[in-house]
Amino acid sequence: MRQAGRDGLSLALIDARNHTLRLLAAHEATVTQAPPAPAATGHAPAVWLAGHAGWFAEYWIARNTLRAQGSACPHQPPRLASIEPHADIWWAQHEPSQVPGPVGLPGFAATRAWLLETLETTLELLEKTPDNDDALYFYRLALFHEDQLGERLVTLAQTLGVPLGLPETQTAAARDPLVVPAARWSLGSAPGGFVFDNEKWAHAVAVPEFEIDAQPVSWSQYIEFVDDGGYDRPELWHADGWAWLQAQDATGGRRGPRHVDQIGVARFGGAGAVLQMRFGQPVRVAGHHLVTHCSWWEADAWCRWAGRRLPDEAEWELAAHVAVRRGFRWGEVHEWTASRLQPYPGFSPNPWADYSMPHFGRARVQRGASWATRSRMKHPKFRGFSLAGDDEGFYGFRSCAI
C-alpha cells in the first residue's frame, strides 16, 4: 500500500473507515451496558480516537490548500474551514486523556455521521487527484494513520475489557535460533512511494554476525524468569527499570506483564501456564504462545536473566529481510529492540512534524507488527516506538546471543 495508486487507495480508505466504525460500535455496545469510566485509564475515549481519524483526513486533505505538494508541504499550510465548526475543539491532536470520559465530545451517533461525511469528501477529492506520489501522499498518510488509530481502539478495548471477537494469530511451533552472517545493510527506507519520516533515509551500516531468536519469547520461557524470582532481583534490572517496577508495586504489585492475573509453575500444579485477561475474559494462555503486554524494562530484565540481549534495530531489520525463509517469524507482537529512537542521517520531518520528533531520545524502537495490525501496515522497514514503561499495546520481544 505504500505504492498504492488511486483505485487501491480508494478501496483501502473505505475498508479502514469500516473497520473504525465496527470497533466504535463494539465500544458503544459496552458503554450502553456498563460505562467503563475511561478517566481511570488515562486514555482518550473511543469516540475521540475514532473521530480523530476523520479529523486527521479532513485536516490534511480537504482543508489543506497545499496538499498537492506531498511531503514537501509545509507543517502549517493555509487551511480551509472544517465542515464541522467544533472539529478542532473536539479532535485536535492533543488527546483528552485526562478528562473524565467523553466530556465535551460528541456522542457515538454524531461521531459516526462525522466519519461517513469526511470519508465521502476524501473519496470525492481522491477521484480528481493525479496518480503520482506527491498528489497521493496525504491520502496514504491518512490511511496509515487511521490503521494506527484502529489498533489503538483494539488496545483500548483490551484495557477496558470490551469484547471484540477478533481472531488472534495462532503461534506456530518454535524453531532454534538463527545465525545471520555479517553484512553491509541499508538501514531505513529509500525515496519512492510513502515513507514515514523516521525511516528517512536509507543509509549503510555494518552489522557483525549475530544469533537471533527465530520467533519472539514465549510464555513458557518467561515463566522460568518469574519462577526464578525475576521480579525480586534488582541485579537483573536497569536502575530506571527497577524504579519503574517499584512504582508498579506501589499500586498493587507486579509479577508479570500487564493483564496477567496468575503466572508460574506452582500456580498451575506444576504445568506452567499463564492466566491473562483478554478483552474482559480470563484466558489460560498456552506456554508456546508469545509474551504480550510486556514493557521494555521487563524485556531487558528477562534478557539479562537469560544471559542474552535485545537485538538492535539494524539486526532485526536485516534478519526480517534475509532470514524469513530460514524460519524468522514476525507479525504477532510489536517487538522491543535495544535501540533508542533517534533520527537517521539526512532526517527531515514530514508535514505532520509531531509524528516522530517529540519522541527522539526518549522512546525505544519497536519493530514488526502485532496480530491487531492491519496487514497493509506490516512492513519490515516500519519503525514503531514507545516509552520503556509502556505495556498496554501488544508488545513482546525476542533476544540475541551476547
Side-chain angles (χ1 to χ4, degrees):
M1 290 306 300
R2 292 183 174 210
Q3 309 286 339
R6 202 168 45 211
D7 292 343
L9 276 172
S10 180
L11 293 173
L13 286 163
I14 294 170
D15 172 73
R17 190 57 50 88
N18 285 337
H19 186 62
T20 299
L21 289 166
R22 284 193 296 270
L23 293 172
L24 183 64
H27 280 274
E28 180 181 16
T30 302
V31 168
T32 301
Q33 296 165 10
T41 70
H43 287 81
V47 289
W48 188 90
L49 289 170
H52 183 72
W55 175 88
F56 189 91
E58 188 198 48
Y59 189 76
W60 286 109
I61 298 173
R63 296 172 59 185
N64 181 3
T65 62
L66 300 180
R67 65 179 178 271
Q69 295 183 12
S71 60
C73 175
H75 306 317
Q76 292 294 339
R79 285 193 171 88
L80 305 175
S82 173
I83 57 173
E84 167 52 60
H86 296 98
D88 290 341
I89 297 174
W90 288 338
W91 291 302
Q93 297 187 39
H94 297 290
E95 301 183 17
S97 58
Q98 302 305 316
V99 300
V103 171
L105 292 173
F108 287 95
T111 301
R112 276 194 298 275
W114 161 256
L115 289 169
L116 293 171
E117 191 170 4
T118 50
L119 175 63
E120 183 179 358
T121 301
T122 297
L123 296 177
E124 287 175 355
L125 292 171
L126 179 59
E127 286 182 0
K128 306 168 188 176
T129 299
D131 217 344
N132 61 65
D133 284 344
D134 285 338
L136 296 177
Y137 172 82
F138 285 106
Y139 296 92
R140 293 168 178 165
L141 174 65
L143 170 65
F144 292 135
H145 184 57
E146 183 155 1
D147 282 342
Q148 290 176 309
L149 288 169
E151 183 159 356
R152 289 187 59 188
L153 282 165
V154 177
T155 301
L156 182 63
Q158 166 71 331
T159 299
L160 299 180
V162 175
L164 294 182
L166 297 176
E168 296 188 36
T169 303
Q170 293 298 313
T171 304
R175 292 174 176 257
D176 292 335
L178 306 168
V179 175
V180 179
R184 188 82 173 163
W185 181 248
S186 181
L187 181 64
S189 294
F194 182 86
V195 177
F196 287 94
D197 64 7
N198 64 26
E199 301 169 13
K200 296 161 46 178
W201 289 113
H203 58 288
V205 295
V207 183
E209 180 180 278
F210 61 99
E211 178 199 283
I212 189 168
D213 293 336
Q215 60 280 313
V217 169
S218 68
W219 282 114
S220 61
Q221 293 173 290
Y222 201 86
I223 286 170
E224 296 182 48
F225 166 72
V226 175
D227 282 345
D228 198 33
Y231 281 84
D232 299 304
R233 296 168 58 183
E235 72 274 13
L236 297 176
W237 295 74
H238 187 286
D240 291 340
W242 185 251
W244 171 86
L245 181 61
Q246 302 317 299
Q248 301 292 312
D249 285 346
T251 59
R254 178 100 172 191
R255 288 298 178 271
R258 178 179 280 265
H259 302 304
V260 168
D261 281 348
Q262 298 181 45
I263 184 171
V265 172
R267 293 177 179 271
F268 291 90
V274 175
L275 189 68
Q276 188 176 40
M277 296 298 293
R278 296 283 184 86
F279 301 98
Q281 297 295 321
V283 175
R284 182 167 174 173
V285 185
H288 70 278
H289 285 190
L290 306 182
V291 172
T292 188
H293 299 298
C294 179
S295 70
W296 189 91
W297 300 123
E298 289 165 303
D300 179 64
W302 184 93
C303 288
R304 293 170 187 241
W305 168 82
R308 294 176 70 81
R309 62 177 177 82
L310 291 170
D312 65 40
E313 62 171 321
E315 291 170 327
W316 193 99
E317 186 178 305
L318 174 60
H321 279 83
V322 306
V324 171
R325 293 185 179 179
R326 295 167 50 207
F328 186 89
R329 192 175 76 244
W330 65 276
E332 296 169 76
V333 290
H334 297 280
E335 300 179 36
W336 292 108
T337 73
S339 301
R340 198 177 291 274
L341 183 68
Q342 298 287 4
Y344 286 160
F347 168 83
S348 61
N350 282 350
W352 179 26
D354 286 340
Y355 176 67
S356 295
M357 286 203 306
H359 308 283
F360 285 148
R362 299 174 57 242
R364 296 284 180 171
V365 174
Q366 294 172 334
R367 288 307 194 105
S370 82
W371 65 270
T373 306
R374 305 307 301 278
S375 59
R376 57 181 163 255
M377 276 290 299
K378 296 182 179 182
H379 196 285
K381 293 284 187 179
F382 179 73
R383 296 178 86 197
F385 54 88
S386 201
L387 297 177
D390 290 348
D391 58 6
E392 295 186 3
F394 303 101
Y395 302 159
F397 66 99
R398 74 179 73 216
S399 68
C400 286
I402 294 177

